[in-house]
Amino acid sequence: MSDSPLAVEHEARPELRHHFADEEQQRNAASLGMWWFLGTEIMFFGGMFCAYLIYRRWYFPEFAAASRSLDLKVGTFNTVVLICSSLTVVLAVRAAQLGNRKLQVKMLLLTLVFGLSFLGIKTYEWSNKYKEHHIPTFHYNVIGGEGDLVKGHEHLLGVDKVQGDDVKLREREAEIQRHTQVFYSLYFAMTGMHAIHMIIGVGIFGVITWMAHKGQFTPEYHTPLEIAGLYWHFVDIVWIYLFPLLYLIDRKPGA
Amino acid sequence: MSGHTQHIASAKLYWLIWFLLIVGTVITALVATVDLGTYGGIDANTVVALLIATSKASLVVLIFMNVKYTSEKMTRVILIAAVFWLLLLLVLSLTDYSSRFAG
C-alpha cells in the first residue's frame, strides 16, 4: 500500500492532505471554503445595508444632516489607509508565491500597521461623536448642544411651516432627535460590525505574520495567507460601500 | 504538477489597481461637494458615488481576490449567487417600502 505511487508522492509533500489529488485542488478547496463564508458575510452585512436604505428613504433630510456631522477628511483618509492595507496583503501573497520570505514578512507587518491605524482613526472619530453627544442613548442631543445639526441648517426645521407655532416647532425638534438617532444607530452598528471584522482580521494576520516569520509559507504552500487575504479584501470592500453611504449622503453646497 | 498552475500577477498590476482605488476614493470625496443635479427624482451625486464604489469593489474582487485568474470555477458561482441574493434583498425590499405607503 505504502509504495503505491500516490502514497510516495504524498510522503514527499507533507503539506498535501491525502484526500486531495494535488496542491492545486487542495488550495482551491480552501479558497472555495472562504468564498462560501464570505457569501454568508454578504448576507449578514446585507441586512444592515437594507435597513439603512429603507430608513434613508424615509428620513432623508435628517440622515443627510447627521451624515454631514461625520468628518469627511478623516473618513477619506481612513479609506486610503484600508486600500493600502489591501495592497500590502496582495504583495505579501505575491512574495510568498515567489518564495521571498523577507518581503513577505515586511508586507504583513505593514498590513498590521495599516489595519491598526484604521482602527485608531476610527476610535478617534467615535470619541468625537461621544463628545458631540451623537451616540444614541448616551445623553443624545443634536439640537442646541455641542453637536448642533440644525444651526446653519434651519431649513431642516421646515421654518416656514412651524414659524410662530411653538408646539409645532417642539414636535419637529423631537422628530429630528428621533430620526437622526436612527442614523447614528445604523452608523455605529455598521462601522462597529466592520471594526469587529477588522479586529478579527488583525488577529488573524498577527498569526499569519508569525507563521510567515517562521518560514511556514513556500511557493507551493501558502494557503492560510491566501485565504486570510480574501477575508481582508472582503472587509475592505464593505468599507468601500460604507464610506459613500454613511459620509456622503448629501454634501452639496447649500444642503 | 505543483505550484506551476498558480497564477502570479505582476507587482506592477497590483500597484496600478492600488493607484486606481486611491484615485477613485479621492474623486468620490471631491465630487460629493459639487452639485451634480437631480434627474427624475434621482440624486446624481449618490449614483456617481455608488458607481465609483462598485468599480472599486470590482477591481478588488477581480484582481486582489484573484477571481479573474483562479482555476476554481465554483468561486464565480458563489460570488454571483451571493451578489444576486443581495440585489434581491435590496431591490425587492426597497420597491416594497417605497410603494407601500404611497398615496
Side-chain angles (χ1 to χ4, degrees):
Chain A
M1 191 61 191
S2 66
D3 49 7
S4 76
L6 195 62
V8 171
E9 208 181 305
H10 275 250
E11 246 163 67
R13 291 179 286 163
E15 74 277 3
L16 179 62
R17 300 299 163 100
H18 68 86
H19 48 282
F20 292 112
D22 56 30
E23 269 95 348
E24 192 189 3
Q25 191 193 44
Q26 177 170 316
R27 209 164 44 227
N28 283 345
S31 120
L32 196 63
M34 180 48 89
W35 273 101
W36 200 268
F37 169 68
L38 295 183
T40 70
E41 287 276 83
I42 290 177
M43 297 164 100
F44 171 72
F45 277 102
M48 282 190 288
F49 276 100
C50 188
Y52 163 86
L53 288 174
I54 290 166
Y55 277 109
R56 176 184 161 136
R57 275 191 71 92
W58 277 352
Y59 304 156
F60 187 82
E62 292 88 346
F63 264 49
S67 160
R68 275 191 297 271
S69 81
L70 303 175
D71 196 324
L72 179 55
K73 277 191 193 122
V74 175
T76 309
F77 182 72
N78 231 1
T79 311
V80 169
V81 169
L82 211 51
I83 288 169
C84 290
S85 78
S86 265
L87 174 72
T88 53
V89 166
V90 287
L91 290 179
V93 173
R94 189 169 182 277
Q97 287 168 338
L98 297 172
N100 185 343
R101 193 169 103 194
K102 224 170 162 184
L103 181 65
Q104 195 193 148
V105 173
K106 208 158 87 185
M107 285 303 152
L108 287 171
L109 285 174
L110 272 175
T111 305
L112 290 175
V113 169
F114 284 131
L116 289 170
S117 306
F118 177 90
L119 286 167
I121 294 165
K122 204 71 223 148
T123 312
Y124 163 76
E125 281 188 271
W126 283 333
S127 73
N128 278 345
K129 289 286 109 189
Y130 178 75
K131 284 181 206 140
E132 292 169 337
H133 300 286
H134 284 173
I135 300 183
T137 74
F138 288 91
H139 305 288
Y140 185 81
N141 180 32
V142 293
I143 298 173
E146 215 166 316
D148 198 329
L149 297 184
V150 176
K151 208 174 159 201
H153 300 279
E154 278 76 11
H155 61 89
L156 194 60
L157 288 166
V159 182
D160 48 323
K161 282 181 221 142
V162 297
Q163 194 102 56
D165 190 334
D166 236 29
V167 179
K168 266 192 180 162
L169 179 67
R170 296 286 159 260
E171 272 174 10
R172 177 60 188 143
E173 282 183 349
E175 195 175 63
I176 291 172
Q177 300 275 20
R178 284 200 311 275
H179 291 180
T180 50
Q181 210 162 152
V182 173
F183 173 84
Y184 286 116
S185 300
L186 285 164
Y187 167 78
F188 284 108
M190 293 169 98
T191 58
M193 264 312 154
H194 180 265
I196 289 176
H197 279 78
M198 288 292 298
I199 292 167
I200 294 171
V202 167
I204 290 171
F205 268 88
V207 176
I208 294 287
T209 308
W210 182 249
M211 288 167 84
H213 171 70
K214 288 267 162 196
Q216 290 188 19
F217 301 137
T218 58
E220 290 78 32
Y221 179 76
H222 50 270
T223 309
L225 169 58
E226 220 175 297
I227 61 172
L230 289 178
Y231 172 83
W232 192 273
H233 296 311
F234 170 80
V235 178
D236 188 9
I237 289 173
V238 172
W239 184 261
I240 285 175
Y241 280 99
L242 283 181
F243 172 61
L245 288 177
L246 294 173
Y247 287 72
L248 307 173
I249 293 184
D250 189 359
R251 297 248 179 198
K252 284 174 280 208
Chain B
M1 181 145 165
S2 65
H4 66 258
T5 46
Q6 203 176 352
H7 176 87
I8 302 180
S10 73
K12 227 185 199 162
L13 174 70
Y14 287 149
W15 279 97
L16 173 70
I17 299 300
W18 170 81
F19 178 72
L20 292 174
L21 292 173
I22 299 286
V23 169
T25 304
V26 173
I27 291 177
T28 308
L30 291 179
V31 159
T33 58
V34 180
D35 194 347
L36 298 179
T38 309
Y39 304 92
I42 294 167
D43 180 28
N45 283 73
T46 305
V47 173
V48 168
L50 288 179
L51 279 180
I52 295 176
T54 304
S55 318
K56 283 163 70 186
S58 307
L59 287 177
V60 173
V61 166
L62 289 174
I63 311 295
F64 282 4
M65 295 173 90
N66 208 32
V67 168
K68 193 173 171 213
Y69 307 109
T70 184
S71 55
E72 177 60 76
K73 299 281 184 283
M74 275 297 282
T75 306
R76 268 155 254 192
V77 176
I78 291 181
L79 178 65
I80 291 165
V83 171
F84 179 69
W85 178 89
L86 183 67
L87 289 178
L88 272 188
L89 172 76
L90 299 182
V91 172
L92 291 185
S93 305
L94 278 178
T95 48
D96 178 20
Y97 276 97
S98 38
S99 59
R100 188 190 293 206
F101 305 104

